[in-house]
Amino acid sequence: MRIIRGILSPMNSELTIVIVAKDAATTIGRAVASARASGDWPILLIDDCSGDETIKSAQDIGGDHITVHKTERSIGIGNARQTALEYTQTEFAMWLDADDEILPHRPAAMLQSLKNGADLCFDPAVLFDPSSGKDTQALPIPDFLSKPDGVLRSFERNWIPALTGGFRTGFAQTVGYDRTFKCAEDYDFLLRAITQNAKIDFLRDAGYRYAHSPTSASRNVELTRAASQAALAKHNFSEMRRRVENSTLPGSEQYLTLAHIATALDLENEWNSVITKLGKSSEAVPPYDRSGKWLSAYLRATAALLSGDHRLAASLLTPLTENDNAADAHNNLGIALWHLGDHTAARVHWQKALAIMPRYLDATENLRAAKQHPTHITHAPLRRAPSRSGYKR
């Protein structure tokens, strides 16, 4: 690795704004400009062997506030983030992706949170359209995450809209990033940080602007799902079960979280055990607004679809579609019926799903492929909370 250029500002030297980038010449100027507008903070850029003018674009805006290092070779985002940790010199830091922006108050707010004792801190975000510059959607952090032990539900799925948060550098270096991850490296980091008893603070005010781009790696559902499964697979189920069952989470939330871990680890007996317990719960699980019984049936139907038992899946999903809001159940029932030979009924259910959620990608793709081979199963129930994907898949 070689130092390209840069000095650390002597003024606000407690926190560094860290950017990792590859071939981001068209967007990084915007990101760096937002960092400069937030105050006199040092900026660290890790360039992952870009083949364009990413470094020049960043330096043109960042000036003497930016320090640049290049990775020795480009092997993925996990390696780039780990490299960034190795070069971060301040006690505290925060991430900024090369195609996003921060709001002016964010570094100071995160610095205060970290100085108050947090190891990691996260804030709500705003989705924006980079072509127009207009904000399109607020992305709050769900309230249940801030409740005691609520962060354990991160093992169910990533509920934090912007994992590009702030961190205590020494703690982050202890956890480290997995250099082999091509995506979901931040989710993997979060899960391992939780098991190392990270003190996590959730800020109230949005400080991050997420660029809405269909080409982003996070929009590749299959790729992200596989990486998330790999992150979950690092954790021992017995240890996680002990931790979750000893937590203050309500029973239905415990069992739902454990079901996702058991799925990632391919533990059929453990999965059946927690799914059965989930199915006995009448508690509504936020933010799905579904009872444990409903969620249990949905997850059993998903497993049946994936194993090819379409008749069982249809029998489990049909009662779930009686709910007026069950776009996900309609979509998956359509898959089951299509495989059972009732293509007309399958199309009806995909149309009903789209009537409920017009931008629902799974149902859209299934309807488009209805004459061939529709394959888009919605593996987990649709979240009833704003997310980066408009269709909330």
Side-chain angles (χ1 to χ4, degrees), residues 14-76:
E14 293 178 290
L15 177 142
T16 300
I17 298 173
V18 184
I19 304 172
V20 295
K22 180 177 176 63
D23 297 334
T26 59
T27 64
I28 197 167
R30 184 178 68 223
V32 173
S34 73
R36 291 291 294 115
S38 70
D40 212 12
W41 309 96
I43 304 167
L44 171 63
L45 169 64
I46 301 299
D47 180 76
D48 195 24
C49 300
S50 293
D52 63 7
E53 295 191 337
T54 293
I55 293 174
K56 181 180 184 303
S57 297
Q59 290 176 330
D60 285 348
I61 303 295
D64 288 339
H65 284 74
I66 194 165
T67 300
V68 182
H69 295 272
K70 287 181 71 75
T71 56
E72 293 179 348
R73 57 194 179 101
S74 180
I75 60 176

Side-chain angles (χ1 to χ4, degrees), residues 316-328:
L316 290 166
L317 288 165
T318 297
L320 304 187
T321 60
E322 295 173 2
N323 184 296
D324 291 339
N325 240 1
D328 39 15

Side-chain angles (χ1 to χ4, degrees), residues 28-348:
I28 197 167
R30 184 178 68 223
V32 173
S34 73
R36 291 291 294 115
S38 70
D40 212 12
W41 309 96
I43 304 167
L44 171 63
L45 169 64
I46 301 299
D47 180 76
D48 195 24
C49 300
S50 293
D52 63 7
E53 295 191 337
T54 293
I55 293 174
K56 181 180 184 303
S57 297
Q59 290 176 330
D60 285 348
I61 303 295
D64 288 339
H65 284 74
I66 194 165
T67 300
V68 182
H69 295 272
K70 287 181 71 75
T71 56
E72 293 179 348
R73 57 194 179 101
S74 180
I75 60 176
I77 184 66
N79 178 62
R81 290 207 190 277
Q82 181 60 24
T83 301
L85 290 185
E86 293 169 357
Y87 280 97
T88 300
Q89 299 178 25
T90 53
E91 184 178 0
F92 310 107
M94 52 161 272
W95 297 108
L96 168 60
D97 282 355
D99 56 348
D100 297 330
E101 300 177 14
I102 56 172
L103 296 176
H105 70 275
R106 192 189 202 225
M110 290 200 158
L111 177 60
Q112 188 61 57
S113 171
L114 294 164
K115 291 177 75 171
N116 287 345
D119 295 312
L120 306 174
C121 59
F122 301 99
D123 52 359
V126 177
L127 202 65
F128 78 98
D129 178 2
S131 62
S132 67
K134 293 182 178 179
D135 294 342
T136 59
Q137 186 178 7
L139 301 174
I141 295 174
D143 291 340
F144 62 79
L145 283 182
S146 299
K147 294 180 179 179
D149 296 320
V151 74
L152 287 173
R153 287 194 59 192
S154 298
F155 283 85
E156 172 195 331
R157 70 197 305 169
N158 174 34
W159 291 106
I160 301 172
L163 283 177
T164 48
F167 56 90
R168 185 181 301 274
T169 304
F171 177 80
Q173 289 171 338
T174 298
V175 177
Y177 282 85
D178 189 327
R179 293 184 187 273
T180 67
F181 271 54
K182 307 298 183 184
C183 68
E185 80 297 335
D186 45 7
Y187 181 58
D188 171 63
F189 175 90
L190 173 67
L191 298 187
R192 289 184 291 108
I194 291 170
T195 62
Q196 294 188 39
N197 300 311
K199 296 178 181 177
I200 300 177
D201 185 28
F202 294 108
L203 308 185
R204 296 183 60 184
D205 296 328
Y208 200 81
R209 297 186 77 224
Y210 248 125
H212 181 75
S213 170
T215 61
S216 171
S218 62
R219 303 299 187 274
N220 187 323
V221 177
E222 299 304 325
L223 183 65
T224 302
R225 181 184 294 124
S228 297
Q229 293 285 90
L232 285 166
K234 292 182 177 183
H235 300 272
N236 178 276
F237 185 82
S238 296
E239 292 178 5
M240 289 308 305
R241 183 163 194 166
R242 189 179 310 112
R243 184 172 189 140
V244 171
E245 289 185 337
N246 288 334
S247 74
T248 60
L249 288 176
S252 56
E253 296 180 40
Q254 290 183 18
Y255 303 136
L256 182 59
T257 297
L258 289 170
H260 282 271
I261 301 174
T263 298
L265 297 176
D266 197 23
L267 300 174
E268 184 176 356
N269 290 338
E270 299 286 7
W271 185 84
N272 282 324
S273 171
V274 294
I275 282 290
T276 298
K277 291 183 178 180
L278 179 64
K280 295 178 179 178
S281 173
S282 59
E283 299 175 2
V285 180
Y288 299 106
D289 297 330
R290 308 288 194 215
S291 69
K293 182 178 180 180
W294 195 100
L295 294 169
S296 174
Y298 186 93
L299 293 176
R300 285 190 183 279
T302 298
L305 284 175
L306 294 173
S307 68
D309 192 343
H310 301 107
R311 196 167 300 281
L312 173 59
S315 69
L316 290 166
L317 288 165
T318 297
L320 304 187
T321 60
E322 295 173 2
N323 184 296
D324 291 339
N325 240 1
D328 39 15
H330 279 292
N331 178 74
N332 286 3
L333 179 55
I335 290 282
L337 293 173
W338 190 91
H339 281 281
L340 291 171
D342 195 343
H343 295 184
T344 299
R347 281 191 287 270
V348 168

